[in-house]
Each structure stands twice: as structure tokens, then as C-alpha cells.
Amino acid sequence: MPERTVRANGIEIWCEDFGRPSDPSLLLVMGAGGQGILWPDEFCAGLASAGRYVIRYDNRDTGQSTCFDFAKQPYTLADMARDGIGVLDALGVERAHVAGASMGGMIAQTMALEHRARLRTLTSIMSSPLAGSAMNAIFSGTGASLPGPMPKVMEHLGKQMANPPKTREERLAAGINLWRVLSGSASPFDEAGVRAREARISSRARNPDAAQNHQLAIAASPDRRDALRGLAIQALVIHGDEDPILPIAHGRATAAAIPGARFLALAGMGHDLPPIHAKQIAEALVEHTR
């Protein structure tokens, strides 16, 4: 599992690969505020053992990648899509299967729209065809064309905004609480596992506060639903039926917008990747990218 920091799209991006470079490449794009290691090690290793060359990376403003002062250097999902393409360039990958989760799904969709020749297939997981309008609706409470987050999510976000965590321990507790809110009912919440993962995330973050910039990037980006209607690509859309932040209607809308897209609903899945669902998603990805 070689990890490295590459120069891509004019910035430094941490990435890690699994498997043989001679196998078909699969680029994994994580969601808002999430480091690349949120793609579980065993998930990546399993895909590699199935014959995929798997690449995960830290989006800008997370982990070991370059962090920004958003007020001075604002960016959008299109910039983040170019980051992902830059990772492929740095690793010498001409074309890749691309899978993204949550905001990562928005980035993957943007890659497909703006860099179609670089993608073999597209997989959008627990994501949405919306961007700016969804964020504006969440924070204004009006104008939503698709359902917004559940009250428990808004309550958690409200508490975080009113009293942002300042210390490492406070950030650790806030992260555990968030994942508890986002989890589905298919398996018990693994607090010990989440705590260990959050501690690892904390230890490798250049600037923990910079990850909040992703919400601003989403808000500054256009919706993609109309553009996706003209996209010609083999697409898979996966969504949990208990997603509390992007309800399953967002997944259905994504699949409906992309001609010929296959939609896979996972029972009891929230807005996370517990082992039971990671295994199902990996199996679906192997079949989709065969």
C-alpha cells in the first residue's frame, strides 16, 4: 500500500494505492470534510484482490493535502474534480473507473461531465445531483427541490455551529457524535472503531478546521441534474434507504438524471460505510467495473 504526496493541479495531494498498476484503475473520492482513509483499508484491499488498481486520496483541505484560506482562494467542485484528474496524471493513469461518496459523488459526477474521456465508468454513492441549491436550502430552510436532512442532523449541526470544538478531544467527541447520527440501523454503531478512526484522522490532519471549506465549495457550485441528462457513461448509483443527510430521493434523482444508470438501494444504510454495507458496495463495484 504505497502512500505518497504528489503534485497535482498545482497543489500537494496525498494518495495511496492498492494492487497492481497493470489492473484496471479505480479512483475513490471521499465526501465533505473526509480524509481518503475513510475508504476502509479492508474495502480497498478487497477491491485490489478482485483485480482493481485502487487509488484513494485526501481531497484538498483534508488530511495531508494542501489547505486553503477560502476567503482568499475560493474554489468549487470543478476545481476538486481537476484535483482528482491530477492524481491520475501523477500516477500515470490514462483512464479510470471513478467512484465517489457524498460530496465525492458530486466530484465524480463533475469529473464525468468535464473530463469524460478520462473515465471508464462512474459510481455515485450516497450523493446528489444538486450542489448550491441543496446547501442554500439546508441553511435557509426554503427552496429545496429534494428533501433536506433529518431533524437529528440539523440539531447536531446547529450545536456544532453554536459551540465549535476547539481541542483535539472536543473534535474527537464531535466526530463520534456525528457518525452516530449518520449511521443506519443495519448494524450496531461501532463506537470503539469510530473512535480509533477519528483519532487517526486527527493525527494526520494538517489543518482540522480547513475541512469546513468543503461546504462553501458545494454552495458555490452549480447543480448538475440538467447536465447529467446529456451524459453518456456506464453509471451505478448506490444509496441507503436510511440516509439522514441526503435522503434516498437524492440517489433516485441522480439515477433518473443519468441515461441508463443502474440504481442500487441498500436497506438499513445511513450516510456511512460500515462493514456490512462496504462489502455490498465492493461487490457491486467489482461487477460494475468488470
Side-chain angles (χ1 to χ4, degrees), residues 1-65:
M1 298 182 291
E3 57 178 286
R4 68 199 84 175
T5 298
V6 300
R7 191 76 181 174
N9 195 24
I11 65 174
E12 290 185 342
I13 300 180
W14 175 91
C15 61
E16 184 175 26
D17 58 346
F18 300 72
R20 299 182 296 268
S22 57
D23 285 337
S25 299
L26 172 59
L27 182 70
L28 301 177
V29 192
M30 189 35 71
Q35 298 180 12
I37 63 171
L38 280 176
W39 295 104
D41 293 352
E42 57 275 16
F43 176 81
C44 298
L47 288 167
S49 68
R52 305 297 179 270
Y53 176 51
V54 181
I55 305 161
R56 63 181 180 181
Y57 67 99
D58 287 340
N59 280 311
R60 60 172 65 194
D61 277 325
T62 66
Q64 295 293 295
S65 294

Side-chain angles (χ1 to χ4, degrees), residues 196-207:
R197 187 184 68 198
E198 289 298 300
R200 182 184 176 194
I201 286 170
S202 175
S203 68
R204 62 188 302 279
R206 283 189 180 183
N207 180 353

